Amino acid sequence: MCSIDTILPPRPLNLLQVKFANLVNLPFLAINRGHGTPSALSIIKHGILIKMTSLDNIEIAADGKTATMDGGVYVDQALAKLAESIKICATGSCGCVGMVGPGLRGDLGSYMGYAGLISDNIIKMGVVTADGSETKVSQSSN
């Protein structure tokens, strides 16, 4: 099994979008893929949708015990990459959705009995706050 060492925050361009939205008082919403997209599109009027889909890098640590994933990684993509190293990780139950959404709400998944919930396996997470600043969240900070 492979725990999620870090889920990385959006890249600098996305941070600028958040800061710009705040500067001109526009609503914004970060979206990845999957089930929430149609409803998300309808709640943002005259605002900015920050698409996370291009943030899709996955790196497995040399010891094979952890992986670092960008915030736009989705379940099937994570499982395929980990399978290359004969690893699995906790996931949500639907392969087309991102890892972050189910990870934050403790979604049930296929490997739950073995690996627990995604949220059980996140060691640390890079987070962009509503004001566009970055912070790291872990068991020992924030």
Side-chain angles (χ1 to χ4, degrees):
M1 189 180 84
C2 189
S3 291
I4 300 168
D5 179 48
T6 309
I7 296 180
L8 298 172
R11 296 199 174 101
L13 176 60
N14 302 110
L15 296 174
L16 289 175
Q17 289 171 321
V18 171
K19 289 179 181 185
F20 174 78
N22 281 315
L23 181 69
V24 297
N25 202 27
L26 281 174
F28 60 91
L29 178 65
I31 61 170
N32 191 1
R33 320 166 32 113
H35 307 302
T37 302
S39 59
L41 293 173
S42 67
I43 63 171
I44 295 291
K45 304 282 190 226
H46 308 291
I48 299 173
L49 289 174
I50 302 171
K51 292 195 72 176
M52 306 265 295
T53 52
S54 65
L55 305 173
D56 61 357
N57 189 49
I58 302 169
E59 293 180 22
I60 299 171
D63 65 6
K65 294 181 180 178
T66 61
T68 298
M69 300 180 188
D70 281 356
V73 170
Y74 60 98
V75 170
D76 279 349
Q77 180 184 21
L79 290 176
K81 180 69 174 181
L82 292 169
E84 292 172 8
S85 299
I86 314 172
K87 300 286 181 188
I88 64 165
C89 71
T91 65
S93 57
C94 182
C96 69
V97 298
M99 292 288 285
V100 173
L104 292 176
R105 69 175 184 267
D107 199 18
L108 306 178
S110 303
Y111 300 113
M112 185 177 76
Y114 176 72
L117 303 174
I118 298 172
S119 56
D120 295 333
N121 290 279
I122 297 173
I123 297 169
K124 63 183 176 257
M125 181 180 280
V127 176
V128 176
T129 61
D131 67 359
S133 58
E134 290 182 77
T135 189
K136 294 270 192 248
V137 178
S138 70
Q139 187 175 13
S140 61
S141 68
N142 296 311

